[in-house]
């Protein structure tokens, strides 16, 4: 083989043969020495980039002679660092050659281009220069074999996706559960176990007070203590009871019995609480605690205090140990008087750290004190009225009495006394529960002759009579099967209207009522307030009863006008006379003046109902005629029935009455004596009514004198100027 020449062959253009790929189409990878891979010191072949050469646009590539290549000592090192020449380098060389530069500058590729599994292939041997092989036809080309791929393993991405989905599902479930717990079930879980570390303190709300019209307390609450025992901890109940008895005022045997061990009702659990006393004074409670008795303790309580004892007790009523109203105004206005206790719940530690936890749970419901009542009652007048009534009732036995004082024009009840009475601070000490009733509103009687003022007032208003009317009056009159008589016979003489009132003529009144008629009489009875409760404010007030006209018998035409076959209470009759004193205008009697809220705000009580019954002229005429009852005193005609009710220095108009008492529909023995009057008669300021029932019939002897004392004190108490008695009318009983 001829030796290889150092100079490469060149073609006619001066370029190396086989270096121009634009001359003819060749199979990729097959060509001259310019297409061979350069040998590197590492023994690896670097394929020169052909992309740039193929897109060279026909530019020829010049190759530096071997001698000149070997003359550059740094070129191999650059090739090693660069991993061989790239297509970009060759493209750069062609561009340089085209520019006419003699030298060739090679550039280093940033990253070698490697075929798959290059390292496993043996470098192709360098081809010697020689004649070109003709290109093989396309059909004869051997297909290029693709390298064998490694066996396909299980795809990890599928497992990763599945695991991710499972983890996301788990966290989603946990998140939903946390949201549910934080929003829906929060209260249940937050309160779990809280009760075991909560302390509850009750904040008591005092009950409202009851005052008189001047603001003086009639009943109010004071702070006290209750004493209780834990029978399971009491060591010696007999000895404990002996020590507590003098302090509590309770027999030792009773206290020892309360401290006996016992189970809660219906269970086998031993009782750990029993009251020993309620409303104990604070100083007494301190003495009890100083004894340091096992199982004995005290706690805050409230006690109802009644400064006057029995003062207005039948009106005020009383409360239970739990401060619930049971009778009287305490019961009627219990919802208003009762306070709403507050409560404080707070978190405490356990054991020795049983103290409030700073920043722990704490909830406070403020206590709401009850409202108070200010009555129309005057304490001083109430006291005097009760004293006068009690003194008069002392002369009777087994009797019942009532006294009422009403202010004319306003309807204010200034005093309302009952007999018997009781101590509201100790309501259990009575002979009978009836002793605690308010007689003025529950004592139902036949009003008797005091009803005649209603009959005469209706006759005046209807024009049946005038103040100057007079007619002969017989000693008796018969209606049906009943004969009615006068206690002061007129013997057929002509008698004036004032004379009929002064001597309480039954016959003359019945004759006037016959002209008036039952329907009109019943209508005026209702106008004067009979037949229905007054609505004064007392619970259980009786309404009385009126006999309908269609139920009248023949005798009813005689009994109803003179106040029989009629049921009424002392308060109803007092209100009727107050209408006469008030120029014929009826004003509903009432006890509640103002309601005082917990904040001190005062609200007036309900406005009383009013209505017109008589004209002012007829009312004045009737008042003038009623003065005859307390003034007529003629030796020829006799003394009027009401002289004992006259008040020295004042003109008094009124009427006496004698009636019957029915209890549960049964007629009771004895009589009901009464007197109702007004003063000063020329311009009345007050009306006083006194009713006394006595089995022995002594009521009449008590009522008029009691009226005189009560009315006299009332006029002096309110500084009413005396009347000009010299101007009192002169009455002629039997006019000629």
């Amino acid at each position: 083989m001829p030796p290889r020449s150092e100079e490469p062959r060149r073609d006619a253009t001066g370029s190396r043969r086989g270096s121009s790929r634009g001359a003819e189409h060749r199979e990729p990878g097959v060509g001259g020495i310019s297409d061979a891979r350069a040998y590197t010191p590492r023994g690896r072949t670097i394929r020169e980039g052909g992309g740039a050469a193929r897109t060279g646009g026909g530019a020829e590539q010049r190759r530096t002679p071997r001698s000149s290549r070997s003359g550059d000592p740094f070129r191999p090192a650059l090739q090693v660092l660069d991993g061989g020449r790239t297509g970009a380098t060759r493209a750069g060389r062609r561009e340089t050659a085209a520019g006419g530069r003699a030298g060739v500058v090679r550039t280093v590729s940033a990253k070698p281009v490697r075929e798959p599994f290059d390292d496993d292939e043996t470098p192709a041997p360098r081809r010697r220069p020689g004649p070109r092989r003709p290109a093989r036809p396309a059909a004869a080309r051997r297909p290029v074999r693709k390298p064998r791929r490694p066996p396909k393993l299980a795809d990890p991405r599928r497992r990763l996706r599945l695991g991710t989905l499972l983890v996301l599902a788990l966290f989603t479930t946990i998140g939903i559960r946390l949201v549910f717990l934080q929003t829906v079930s929060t209260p249940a879980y937050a309160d779990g176990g809280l009760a075991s570390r909560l302390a509850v303190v009750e904040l008591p709300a005092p009950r409202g007070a009851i005052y008189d019209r001047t603001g003086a307390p009639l009943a109010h609450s004071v702070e006290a203590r209750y004493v209780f025992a834990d029978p399971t901890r009491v060591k010696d109940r007999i000895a404990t009871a002996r020590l507590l008895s003098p302090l509590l005022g309770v027999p030792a045997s009773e206290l020892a019995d309360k401290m006996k061990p016992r189970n809660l009702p219906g269970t086998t659990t031993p009782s750990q609480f029993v009251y020993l006393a309620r409303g104990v004074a604070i100083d007494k409670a301190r003495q009890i605690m100083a004894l340091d008795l096992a199982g004995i303790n005290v706690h805050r309580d409230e006690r109802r205090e009644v400064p006057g004892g029995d003062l207005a007790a039948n009106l005020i009523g009383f409360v239970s140990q739990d401060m619930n109203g049971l009778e009287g105004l305490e019961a009627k206005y219990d919802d208003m008087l009762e306070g709403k206790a507050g409560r404080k719940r707070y978190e405490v530690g356990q054991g020795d750290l049983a103290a409030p936890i700073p920043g722990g749970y704490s909830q406070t419901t403020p206590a709401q004190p009850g409202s108070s009542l200010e009555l129309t009652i005057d304490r001083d007048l109430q006291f005097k009225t009760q004293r006068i009534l009690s003194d008069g009732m002392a002369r009777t036995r087994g009797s019942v009495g009532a006294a009422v004082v009403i202010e004319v024009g306003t309807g204010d009840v200034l005093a309302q006394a009952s007999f018997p009475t009781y101590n509201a601070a100790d309501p259990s000490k009575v002979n009978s529960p009836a002793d605690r009733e308010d007689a003025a509103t529950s004592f139902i009687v036949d009003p008797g002759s005091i009803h005649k003022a209603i009959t005469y007032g209706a006759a005046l208003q209807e024009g049946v009579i005038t103040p100057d009317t007079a007619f002969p009056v017989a000693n008796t009159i018969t209606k049906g099967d009943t004969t009615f008589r006068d206690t002061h016979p007129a013997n057929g003489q002509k008698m004036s209207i004032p004379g009929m009132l002064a001597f309480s003529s039954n016959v003359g009144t019945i004759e006037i009522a016959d002209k008036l008629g039952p329907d009109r009489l019943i209508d005026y009875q209702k106008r004067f307030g009979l037949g229905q409760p007054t609505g004064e404010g007392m619970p259980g007030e009786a309404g009385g009863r009126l006999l309908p006209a269609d139920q009248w018998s023949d005798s009813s035409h005689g009994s109803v006008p003179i106040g029989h076959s009629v049921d009424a209470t002392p308060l109803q009759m007092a209100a009727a006379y107050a209408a006469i004193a008030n120029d014929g205008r009826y004003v509903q009697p009432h006890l509640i003046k103002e309601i005082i809220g917990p904040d001190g705000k005062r609200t007036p009580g309900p406005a009383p109902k009013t209505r017109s019954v008589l004209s002012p002229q007829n009312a004045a005429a009737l008042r003038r005629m009623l003065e005859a009852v307390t003034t007529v005193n003629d030796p020829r005609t006799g003394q009027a029935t009401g002289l004992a009710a006259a008040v020295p220095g004042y003109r008094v108009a009124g009427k006496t009455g004698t009636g019957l008492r029915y209890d549960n529909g049964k007629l009771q023995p004895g009589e009901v004596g009464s007197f109702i009057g007004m003063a000063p008669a020329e311009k009345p300021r007050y009306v006083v009514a006194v009713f006394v029932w006595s089995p022995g019939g002594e009521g009449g002897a008590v009522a008029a004198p009691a009226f005189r004392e009560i009315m006299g004190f009332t006029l002096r108490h309110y500084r009413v100027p005396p009347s000009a008695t010299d101007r009192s009318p002169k009455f002629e009983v039997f006019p000629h």
Side-chain angles (χ1 to χ4, degrees):
M1 178 179 296
R4 182 178 178 184
S5 175
E6 292 293 331
E7 282 292 325
R9 296 181 181 178
R10 300 180 182 268
D11 54 13
T13 62
S15 63
R16 287 185 298 178
R17 284 184 292 181
S19 62
S20 178
R21 291 186 173 86
E24 63 179 85
H25 175 75
R26 290 187 180 182
E27 182 181 356
V30 180
I33 191 170
S34 61
D35 292 333
R37 297 180 181 177
Y39 177 77
T40 66
R42 295 176 57 187
R44 299 181 60 185
T45 58
I46 305 299
R47 185 187 302 266
E48 289 186 341
R54 295 186 183 95
T55 59
E60 294 184 354
Q61 185 176 8
R62 301 178 65 91
R63 185 173 181 85
T64 305
R66 187 183 302 269
S67 61
S68 64
R69 183 174 58 204
S70 63
D72 187 0
F74 298 102
R75 183 173 289 119
L78 292 175
Q79 291 180 346
V80 171
L81 293 175
D82 191 38
R85 290 177 296 174
T86 62
T89 304
R90 296 179 62 190
R93 281 177 54 195
R94 285 196 299 272
E95 293 173 0
T96 304
R101 295 187 61 179
V104 178
V105 180
R106 293 176 179 254
T107 59
V108 181
S109 174
K111 187 175 181 181
V113 180
R114 299 178 59 187
E115 296 288 340
F117 307 105
D118 277 349
D119 296 339
D120 297 337
E121 293 183 358
T122 304
R126 299 179 62 181
R127 293 177 60 89
R128 294 179 183 268
R132 296 180 182 176
R133 294 182 182 180
R136 295 182 181 180
R141 290 178 186 174
R142 182 178 297 177
V144 180
R145 296 182 60 184
K146 293 183 179 180
R148 177 180 296 179
R149 294 184 179 181
K152 192 173 183 179
L153 302 177
D155 190 356
R157 291 176 296 179
R158 182 176 300 174
R159 294 196 299 270
L160 182 60
R161 294 193 191 100
L162 180 59
T164 303
L165 290 176
L166 292 177
V167 171
L168 290 177
L170 177 62
F171 278 99
T172 301
T173 304
I174 295 174
I176 294 174
R177 180 60 176 167
L178 288 176
V179 172
F180 180 81
L181 293 177
Q182 291 293 326
T183 57
V184 180
S185 301
T186 296
Y189 285 95
D191 293 341
L194 185 62
S196 62
R197 58 182 185 275
L198 281 183
V200 180
V201 176
E202 186 170 313
L203 306 177
R207 185 179 178 87
I210 299 178
Y211 303 102
D212 81 331
R213 68 187 298 113
T214 66
L218 299 176
H220 63 103
S221 296
V222 296
E223 184 178 352
R225 299 289 184 268
Y226 65 78
V227 182
F228 67 95
D230 182 354
T232 63
R233 296 179 55 200
V234 176
K235 296 180 179 179
D236 188 344
R237 60 185 180 89
I238 303 299
T240 301
R242 290 175 180 172
L243 292 173
L244 294 177
S245 179
L247 295 175
L248 298 179
V250 181
S253 58
E254 182 178 343
L255 293 175
D257 182 67
K258 290 183 177 180
M259 289 185 285
K260 283 183 179 180
R262 54 177 54 88
N263 295 333
L264 295 174
T267 68
T268 58
T269 304
S271 174
Q272 296 180 339
F273 180 90
V274 60
Y275 281 115
L276 298 182
R278 299 291 302 272
V280 178
I282 296 178
D283 58 338
K284 294 289 185 182
R286 290 173 179 168
Q287 296 179 36
I288 292 172
M289 293 305 297
L291 297 176
D292 195 20
L293 301 173
I296 304 299
N297 210 334
V298 301
H299 201 274
R300 191 186 187 285
D301 198 9
E302 185 179 357
R303 183 180 74 249
R304 199 65 167 168
E305 192 170 274
V306 185
D310 63 350
L311 183 66
N314 300 72
L315 284 178
I316 297 171
F318 60 93
V319 299
S320 66
Q321 291 184 341
D322 295 325
M323 292 291 124
N324 295 321
L326 298 181
E327 287 188 10
L329 296 176
E330 294 275 20
K332 176 68 176 291
Y333 298 97
D334 184 58
D335 293 340
M336 184 182 301
L337 294 168
E338 183 182 19
K340 295 182 180 180
R343 177 174 295 186
K344 182 177 181 181
R345 303 174 67 199
Y346 57 93
E347 199 171 357
V348 297
Q350 301 294 327
D352 296 336
L353 300 177
I357 298 176
Y361 174 84
S362 179
Q363 184 184 32
T364 302
T365 303
Q368 298 180 6
S371 298
S372 298
L373 295 177
E374 184 171 289
L375 307 183
T376 58
I377 296 295
D378 185 321
R379 182 180 61 172
D380 295 337
L381 182 58
Q382 177 74 24
F383 173 81
K384 190 65 176 180
T385 301
Q386 284 188 210
R387 178 62 60 86
I388 294 171
L389 182 63
S390 298
D391 292 345
M393 302 296 291
R395 299 193 294 268
T396 64
R397 287 187 294 176
S399 55
V400 177
V404 179
V405 181
I406 296 179
E407 184 178 43
V408 175
T410 64
D412 289 354
V413 178
L414 303 178
Q416 189 163 308
S418 298
F419 184 90
T421 186
Y422 69 102
N423 185 356
D426 191 4
S428 60
K429 294 183 179 180
V430 292
N431 297 325
S432 169
D435 294 348
R436 299 194 296 258
E437 294 180 357
D438 174 56
T441 56
S442 64
F443 188 40
I444 300 177
V445 299
D446 274 352
S449 293
I450 57 174
H451 181 274
K452 293 175 181 177
I454 295 177
T455 303
Y456 284 95
L460 283 171
Q461 187 68 20
E462 293 297 320
V464 174
I465 61 172
T466 67
D468 300 327
T469 297
F471 57 86
V473 177
N475 293 338
T476 63
I477 189 172
T478 302
K479 292 294 181 180
D481 57 356
T482 305
T483 300
F484 298 91
R485 294 180 172 82
D486 282 344
T487 55
H488 293 78
N491 298 320
Q493 299 181 72
K494 181 187 291 185
M495 182 177 278
S496 66
I497 300 299
M500 296 179 191
L501 287 171
F503 293 102
S504 193
S505 173
N506 292 330
V507 176
T509 303
I510 293 172
E511 290 183 4
I512 292 174
D514 286 342
K515 299 177 182 179
L516 183 64
D519 293 328
R520 286 193 290 181
L521 178 59
I522 294 174
D523 179 54
Y524 278 90
Q525 285 178 326
K526 293 178 180 179
R527 292 187 189 183
F528 276 106
L530 303 187
Q532 59 186 351
T534 65
E536 177 200 33
M538 288 297 295
E541 180 185 3
R545 183 179 63 90
L546 296 177
L547 190 63
D550 57 359
Q551 297 181 16
W552 280 28
S553 63
D554 292 338
S555 62
S556 297
H557 291 269
S559 61
V560 172
I562 62 175
H564 296 287
S565 300
V566 179
D567 292 341
T569 64
L571 181 63
Q572 287 176 321
M573 296 306 303
Y577 273 70
I580 299 172
N582 192 37
D583 289 335
R585 188 165 190 81
Y586 178 89
V587 179
Q588 177 189 21
H590 55 277
L591 283 170
I592 308 302
K593 182 180 180 182
E594 288 183 332
I595 300 172
I596 306 173
D599 56 354
K601 182 180 179 181
R602 294 175 174 266
T603 304
K609 298 177 181 179
T610 63
R611 57 181 174 270
S612 178
V613 181
L614 303 175
S615 68
Q617 297 77 14
N618 288 327
L622 183 57
R623 288 197 303 268
R624 186 176 181 277
M625 292 188 293
L626 287 172
E627 285 190 69
V629 178
T630 60
T631 57
V632 171
N633 187 5
D634 190 332
R636 294 182 300 106
T637 58
Q639 297 180 339
T641 58
L643 290 181
V647 179
Y650 294 91
R651 292 170 58 182
V652 177
K655 185 70 184 73
T656 57
T658 302
L660 302 174
R661 181 190 180 192
Y662 290 88
D663 187 9
N664 293 327
K666 295 181 180 180
L667 178 65
Q668 302 298 307
E671 294 177 340
V672 178
S674 58
F675 189 93
I676 304 179
M678 59 199 75
E682 65 274 18
K683 188 174 180 58
R685 295 276 303 275
Y686 306 101
V687 169
V688 174
V690 179
F691 284 71
V692 177
W693 170 77
S694 173
E698 304 92 351
V702 175
F707 167 87
R708 181 183 66 243
E709 293 187 48
I710 294 172
M711 179 60 83
F713 179 84
T714 302
L715 295 171
R716 294 189 300 270
H717 179 65
Y718 291 109
R719 304 177 184 273
V720 178
S723 301
T725 54
D726 56 344
R727 297 183 180 179
S728 297
K730 304 299 181 181
F731 298 102
E732 189 174 3
V733 178
F734 299 107
H736 299 289

